[in-house]
Amino acid sequence: MNFLITGAWAEAKENIHNLEKMGHKVAFLQQERDSLPVPSEWAEGIIGNGIFLYHPIETFINLRYIQLTSAGMDRVPMEYVKDHQIEIYNARGVYSIPMAEFAIAGVLSIYKQMRFFDHNQEHHLWEKHRGLLELSGKNVCIVGCGSVGTECARRFSAFGCRIVGVDLFPYENAAYQQILPLEKLDQVLPECDVLVLTLPLTEQTKHLMNAERLGMLKKAAVLVNISRGGVVDQNALETAVSHLGGAVLDVFEEEPLSCNSPLWDAENVIATPHNSFVGEGNQRRLSAVILANLEKE
C-alpha cells in the first residue's frame, strides 16, 4: 500500500523502515498544511491527524486506509469515510493514562485546596486550612465509558470512590459498579460528587451539560471536562460554576479560551489549554497501536 505519513506521528521517521519491511511504500509530510510530496491519488493509506482540514479527502481518490494519531475523529469527514468504505483507526488507548491522571490531579487539587497553599507558600504564610475534603467514599459519575473513562474509573476506584458510568452504548465493565444509558443521566447527576466527561462530541452530545443539567449538580460537586469543549454549554457553565464545588476544564467551546472569560479568574476553576493528553509514554503507545493495526492488513 502507498502510505502518506505526516509529522503528527512524532516517531514516523524512525518507523518508516518498519512500514517498508511490511511491503508498503512511504511518502512523508512534516506539516499537514504544506503541499503534498506526492499526488493525492498516489496515497492509498494516510497516517496523520488533521490533514483533511488542509487537503480535501475527496482528492484522495484511491484512499482506503486512515490511521489517526488522535483519539477523536471530529477532524475527519466520517460520512464520506463510511460511504466510501475506507478503513479507519484512531489512537484508542494512547492518551488514556495521562488524561486519567490529569482528572485525578485536578479533583485532588480542588479537594485539597492547593491554590490556597500555593498562594501562602508564595507569600511565606503559615496558615492551616480546615476545609480539606477526601475522595474516599465519593460518588463519581463518568460520562463516556471508553478507554479514557475506564482509566479514570480505575484510578478513582483506587481512592475508594463509587463509580457509575453513563454511556451511549452501555456494556459490562468491571471498572464500574454499573453503566447506565445516556437517557438516565438526569437520574445520576443529583448524586454526583464528581462528574467526569470523557465522551465524544456529536450532535447528540453537544451541550449535553446545559444550564438545566448543571443546576442538577450538588453545590459541592466538581465537574471535570477532558472530552470536548462543546459537550458543555460554556455560557451556562460561566454562570453556574460559582455554585459548584469546582471545575477542572481542559477543553472549551472556543479555543484558545477568551481572555475575557470569567473562568480564568474563578477561584474554584482549574483551566488548562487542552493539555491533559500529554505524557511521556504517548509516542511509544502510539507507535505500538499504529504498527499493530498495520499488521492486520
Side-chain angles (χ1 to χ4, degrees):
M1 193 182 304
N2 294 338
F3 267 100
L4 174 61
I5 303 176
T6 81
W9 180 15
E11 293 185 350
K13 290 184 177 179
E14 294 92 322
N15 281 281
I16 286 177
H17 70 283
N18 289 324
L19 273 69
E20 291 175 338
K21 283 169 61 178
M22 294 179 184
H24 304 297
K25 295 180 180 179
V26 178
F28 181 74
L29 174 66
Q30 181 62 53
Q31 299 295 331
E32 293 183 334
R33 67 178 67 239
D34 291 347
S35 299
L36 299 179
V38 291
S40 55
E41 60 268 23
W42 178 89
E44 298 170 304
I46 289 178
I47 301 175
N49 186 15
I51 188 169
F52 302 123
L53 299 177
Y54 311 104
H55 306 279
I57 195 170
E58 294 83 1
T59 65
F60 296 93
I61 59 175
N62 293 311
L63 187 63
R64 54 190 174 94
Y65 185 100
I66 299 171
Q67 169 70 65
L68 299 176
T69 60
S70 61
M73 296 186 177
D74 46 304
R75 294 182 174 184
V76 178
M78 289 302 297
E79 187 173 343
Y80 181 93
V81 169
K82 293 175 182 176
D83 288 345
H84 289 77
Q85 299 181 323
I86 299 171
E87 194 170 2
I88 185 167
Y89 294 95
N90 67 348
R92 178 178 173 81
V94 170
Y95 310 106
S96 304
I97 289 173
M99 292 176 72
E101 291 181 356
F102 182 93
I104 286 283
V107 175
L108 284 174
S109 292
I110 290 174
Y111 269 27
K112 302 306 180 185
Q113 297 292 333
M114 294 312 298
R115 179 169 289 180
F116 170 86
F117 291 116
D118 285 344
H119 174 271
N120 284 1
Q121 180 173 349
E122 181 181 352
H123 293 87
H124 300 188
L125 298 176
W126 186 268
E127 179 183 2
K128 295 186 183 295
H129 194 301
R130 302 295 183 181
L132 307 189
L133 301 177
E134 300 175 1
L135 262 179
S136 180
K138 296 298 188 294
N139 292 323
V140 176
C141 175
I142 298 173
V143 186
C145 304
S147 59
V148 176
T150 297
E151 291 296 341
C152 288
R154 290 170 178 155
R155 284 155 180 77
F156 278 103
S157 180
F159 280 86
C161 299
R162 178 178 181 271
I163 314 297
V164 173
V166 175
D167 198 83
L168 290 164
F169 306 101
Y171 66 102
E172 293 294 324
N173 189 322
Y176 305 84
Q177 294 188 325
Q178 59 178 330
I179 298 179
L180 301 172
L182 191 61
E183 297 78 45
K184 294 192 176 182
L185 176 61
D186 291 356
Q187 299 176 26
V188 175
L189 291 177
E191 303 301 319
C192 287
D193 295 301
V194 178
L195 176 65
V196 184
L197 305 176
T198 66
L199 70 170
L201 178 62
T202 66
E203 290 184 7
Q204 187 176 1
T205 64
K206 182 175 175 59
H207 285 185
L208 180 73
M209 292 305 299
N210 52 25
E212 181 181 1
R213 288 200 173 100
L214 289 168
M216 295 178 184
L217 294 171
K218 297 177 180 180
K219 289 187 177 180
V222 175
L223 170 68
V224 179
N225 191 5
I226 51 175
S227 57
R228 287 291 186 263
V231 172
V232 179
D233 183 336
Q234 189 167 312
N235 290 331
L237 179 59
E238 289 176 350
T239 300
V241 73
S242 61
H243 304 292
L244 297 177
V248 181
L249 308 172
D250 186 52
V251 290
F252 303 88
E253 279 201 81
E254 293 187 11
E255 297 180 357
L257 179 63
S258 169
C259 60
N260 297 318
S261 173
L263 294 174
W264 284 113
D265 299 313
E267 287 294 322
N268 62 342
V269 169
I270 296 174
T272 53
H274 211 133
N275 208 87
S276 64
F277 70 94
V278 176
E280 77 274 18
N282 285 346
Q283 291 305 317
R284 170 180 50 80
R285 288 187 291 268
L286 178 60
S287 294
V289 165
I290 291 172
L291 295 175
N293 287 337
L294 284 172
E295 287 175 356
K296 300 174 186 176
E297 291 300 302

